[in-house]
Amino acid sequence: TGRYTQNYLVLAEDAIAAAQEARRLAGSRAGRVGYQAGSQGGWVAPLAARIAPVDFVIVGFGLAVSPIEEEREAIAYGMTRHGYGPDVVAKAAAFADASIAIMSSNFTDGFDALDAARRKYGAEPWFRYVRGDVTHIFLKMSREEMQKKGPALFAGVPLHYDPRLVLRSLDVPQLWILGADDIDAPSGETTRRLGRLAAEGKPITVAVFPRTEHGIYEYETGADDERRSTRHPAGYLRMMRDFILNGRLTGEYGAAMT
């Protein structure tokens, strides 16, 4: 409709329409047709393939958890990767809970909880590492800015969406490529869930590249603790090419763990 949305069903319908048009334009030249989806596309592409099957789905740095679970896992990962234990993780969860409350209310409530968490923990040494997927954005904005920009910026996000319902019913071959050190979309629980689905016989292949960030980029960390992306790891692009052509992986792909 021309109106921005993060509603996965609407986006899946767009992907289906695009695939159909690509097939029409290619005609007899078309070979295997599928989706290569990054980040949020990991929720959208499998849904599109479930509605209108394609030959393959490739998901890069996507998730098999809900957006709410993503935020909580990302906040926790930010603490553990800096050496903090369960006690600090439990405290930092207050920021994830506040962000989720703000988004769940469509930016009408939850601001007091975020302010309270900041007052309570803002002087703690670990506070500088509170990131999450959206919390770090909220912490940089005033209440007025969040109320003004938030509803449009996060329009249609299905916070409780459980992708496992689609993945368990999907018979299209899937390749999931994840970054071991992803701070925006932590790969830990997603890797475990996809592994269980593969063990149940679903056509899912999982590859994890060590020391890679969101986007499957290797990175360097500066003195300010900020990461600078450098390049894709060896084997990443070749892995996608082989899966597109063959529907499976056929060799070694750098340092990837499959």
Side-chain angles (χ1 to χ4, degrees):
T1 63
R3 180 176 296 176
Y4 179 78
T5 183
Q6 295 187 47
N7 181 293
Y8 302 156
L9 181 57
V10 173
L11 299 177
E13 290 172 343
D14 280 354
I16 292 167
Q20 291 172 343
E21 180 65 2
R23 278 196 170 109
R24 186 190 71 79
L25 291 170
S28 61
R29 295 173 299 162
R32 290 165 50 80
V33 177
Y35 299 117
Q36 188 276 331
S39 196
Q40 187 184 80
W43 287 307
V44 176
L47 179 58
R50 181 66 182 85
I51 297 169
V54 288
D55 296 312
F56 63 86
V57 171
I58 297 175
V59 173
F61 43 102
L63 291 162
V65 301
S66 71
I68 283 179
E69 292 169 315
E70 173 192 16
E71 191 64 23
R72 290 185 174 133
E73 188 176 3
I75 291 284
Y77 179 62
M79 298 300 103
T80 57
R81 80 182 184 93
H82 286 99
Y84 294 101
D87 56 331
V88 170
V89 170
K91 294 175 182 177
F95 291 96
D97 292 342
S99 294
I100 292 165
I102 290 170
M103 294 184 69
S104 297
S105 73
N106 195 30
F107 295 85
T108 62
D109 198 7
F111 305 105
D112 290 342
L114 185 63
D115 290 341
R118 193 181 344 223
R119 286 194 301 271
K120 186 173 183 179
Y121 298 120
E124 296 285 336
W126 50 264
F127 173 72
R128 60 179 294 211
Y129 302 123
V130 173
R131 179 178 170 83
D133 184 50
V134 300
T135 297
H136 70 287
I137 300 174
F138 294 169
L139 287 173
K140 296 175 183 177
M141 300 171 71
S142 67
R143 180 180 303 206
E144 291 72 24
E145 286 179 303
M146 282 188 277
Q147 289 176 320
K148 180 179 179 180
K149 299 178 181 179
L153 187 61
F154 296 96
V157 176
L159 294 173
H160 297 277
Y161 179 75
D162 186 348
R164 289 174 295 180
L165 301 177
V166 169
L167 296 175
R168 187 166 282 116
S169 64
L170 188 60
D171 294 322
V172 174
Q174 301 166 64
L175 170 63
W176 286 69
I177 308 176
L178 307 175
D181 298 346
D182 196 329
I183 59 177
D184 293 309
S187 58
E189 181 59 21
T190 289
T191 301
R192 287 186 286 272
R193 291 185 178 186
L194 293 173
R196 288 194 289 268
L197 289 169
E200 294 172 8
K202 306 311 296 182
I204 295 173
T205 301
V206 181
V208 181
F209 278 94
R211 193 164 176 77
T212 55
E213 174 56 278
H214 202 62
I216 314 299
Y217 285 106
E218 295 178 349
Y219 61 90
E220 297 174 351
T221 305
D224 57 358
D225 196 52
E226 291 297 317
R227 293 176 173 180
R228 278 77 174 177
S229 298
T230 56
R231 64 177 184 178
H232 289 308
Y236 170 58
L237 299 177
R238 184 162 47 86
M239 173 182 287
M240 290 194 288
R241 178 204 65 191
D242 288 355
F243 198 82
I244 290 169
L245 291 174
N246 307 309
R248 58 187 175 85
L249 301 184
T250 59
E252 298 294 327
Y253 300 92
M257 301 171 287
T258 56

